[in-house]
Amino acid sequence: MSSSSTKRDAYEVLGVARDADESTIKKAFRKLARELHPDVNAHDPQAEEKFKEAAEAYEILSDAERRATYDRYGHEGLRAGGAAPNFDGFGSISDLFDAFFGGGGFGGGRGGPAPGGDVAVEIEIDLADAFAGVKRPIAVEIVGRCETCNGNGAKPGTPIRTCDRCGGAGRLQAVSRTPFGQVVRTVECDTCAGDGRIAEQPCEQCEGLGREMHRSELEVDIPAGIADGQRIRLGGRGHQGDAGAPSGDLYVLVSVAPHERFLRDGDDLVTVLDVPAPLAALGTSMDVDAIDGPATFSIPAGTQPGEVITVRGRGMPVLRRPGRQGDLRAMVNVVVPRRLTKDQKRLVEELAATITDDNLRSDETMVGKLRRLMGHR
Ligand code: ZN
Ligand code: ZN
C-alpha cells in the first residue's frame, strides 16, 4: 500500500462508531465484503482496493490490542510497532476473500463438483382438473448418465487409470499463507475435473463426459386445488450433477386454462347469475352447474343488481388441506325484460302504476349503492 499517510480512518471505512462492539464491527465488515465481492463487482476496478481497505480496517478493529494501539496512536502507531496489516502479498482479491471466508464460503461455490442444473416444463390443465387433481404424463430432455460407457467416460473395453495428480480423490488441498495463518482449501482436481479417474480412450458417444441427453418420461401428480402459475418441484429429477454432485430439480409450471363460467378468487369460485327482474322482486331459487355438480342459489325477494349470493363450501378445494373447500359466489345481474308483448306490457303498466315510495326505499346510502354498482365491496 502506498501513500500510507493518507489512510482513511478505520472506523470511517467500516462505518461504525468509535465505541462499536466486536459483533457490530464484524457485521459491518461482512456487509461491506458482500457488497465488494469480486463476483458482483467484476466491472468495478476500485472494488479490490476498497475491499483491501475494509479488510485492513477490520484487522485493526477486530483485535483488541491493535485497536487500543490504533485508538491512541493511529495508523502510524501500528506501523511503528510492526502490527500494521498488509495485504499486498495476495495474488488476487479472490484469494483474499478465501482467506477471510474460506473457499466458496461466500456463495461463490468455487471448488468441488458442480451440482446439476434445474429443468422446467410447462403444462396446461383445465379448471375441472385443478378442482379434482390429475396425473399427467410429461416428457423432458435431461442430462443423465451415458449408457454407452455407463458414466465412466471411457470407450467400452478400454482401461481407466487413477488420476496421478489427486490420487483418485478428485480433489486437491490448496494451502496458502495469509496474514491470518495458513489457510487450507479444497479445490477440484484440474487434471481429472473431479472425477479421480482418467479414460485413456474417451467414450465416443459422450466424448468422455460420461453424460448424455436422455428423454425422460414421467407422470406428475397435480394436487387438487392447484392455481394458475403455481409450480411443482420434483427434487433431484433435473440434470445430473458432475462426479457425485447432486442432480438438479425438475419444476413443473402449471397453468390453468380460463373457464367459460367461473373465475377463481383465492379458493372461491365466482360466477354471474342472470335473474329476470320480476323474479328478483319475488325471490326465487336457481340451479347452476358447479364444477362438482349442481348447486342451488336462493335469491331472496327484493334482491338488487350486483348483490352477491354465496353457497358455502362449493368453491375450489384448498391445496393440501383435504376436505376443505372455498365458497361458490354468484353476483346477481338483474335482467330487465325486453321486447314485451302487448299482454306483458299491460301487466307491467299495471305494476308500475301501483309502485309506491315504500317499494323503492332501501337502507343503503347513495354512496353505498355507488360502491356496490362500481364493484367495490
Ligand atoms: Zn459415454
Ligand atoms: Zn485428479
Side-chain angles (χ1 to χ4, degrees), residues 1 52-53 55-57 59 85-91 96 100 179-180:
M1 287 252 152
K52 276 188 184 170
E53 189 185 36
E56 285 197 24
E59 274 305 291
N86 177 14
F87 297 104
D88 287 347
F90 280 88
L96 193 53
F100 272 96
F180 329 108

Side-chain angles (χ1 to χ4, degrees), residues 146 148-149 203 205-206:
C146 170
T148 305
C149 63
C203 165
Q205 174 69 24
C206 64

Side-chain angles (χ1 to χ4, degrees), residues 105-134:
F106 226 76
R110 277 185 298 274
D118 294 337
V119 181
V121 284
E122 205 169 336
I123 56 172
E124 191 183 76
I125 58 173
D126 60 25
L127 193 62
D129 286 340
F131 187 97
V134 68

Side-chain angles (χ1 to χ4, degrees), residues 142-147 151 209-214 238-240:
I142 281 176
V143 174
R145 190 165 65 181
C146 170
E147 276 162 13
L209 294 173
R211 286 174 294 173
E212 64 179 351
M213 272 312 223
H214 287 289
H239 295 312
Q240 186 184 301

Side-chain angles (χ1 to χ4, degrees), residues 194-209:
D195 207 24
R197 300 179 312 165
I198 295 171
E200 310 240 291
Q201 276 180 276
C203 165
E204 281 161 6
Q205 174 69 24
C206 64
E207 294 174 329
L209 294 173

Side-chain angles (χ1 to χ4, degrees), residues 49-70:
E49 281 308 309
K50 284 185 204 156
F51 180 72
K52 276 188 184 170
E53 189 185 36
E56 285 197 24
Y58 177 67
E59 274 305 291
I60 294 166
L61 300 185
S62 61
D63 179 295
E65 208 173 303
R66 273 189 214 173
R67 185 177 176 181
T69 308
Y70 177 76

Side-chain angles (χ1 to χ4, degrees), residues 263-336:
L263 282 182
R264 186 168 177 169
D265 179 19
D267 293 318
D268 292 351
L269 288 171
V270 185
T271 191
V272 167
L273 268 186
D274 286 338
V275 183
L279 294 180
L282 296 169
T284 186
S285 75
M286 293 181 87
D287 289 339
V288 163
D289 276 331
I291 306 283
D292 56 344
T296 304
F297 287 95
S298 322
I299 294 143
T303 292
Q304 303 294 314
E307 278 186 21
V308 174
I309 316 286
T310 300
V311 180
R312 299 240 168 259
R314 293 295 301 277
M316 291 297 284
V318 181
L319 192 63
R320 303 193 201 291
R321 302 282 295 274
R324 290 202 48 183
Q325 249 173 288
D327 297 332
L328 182 60
R329 304 198 312 252
M331 189 172 283
V332 173
N333 181 41
V334 173
V335 181
V336 177

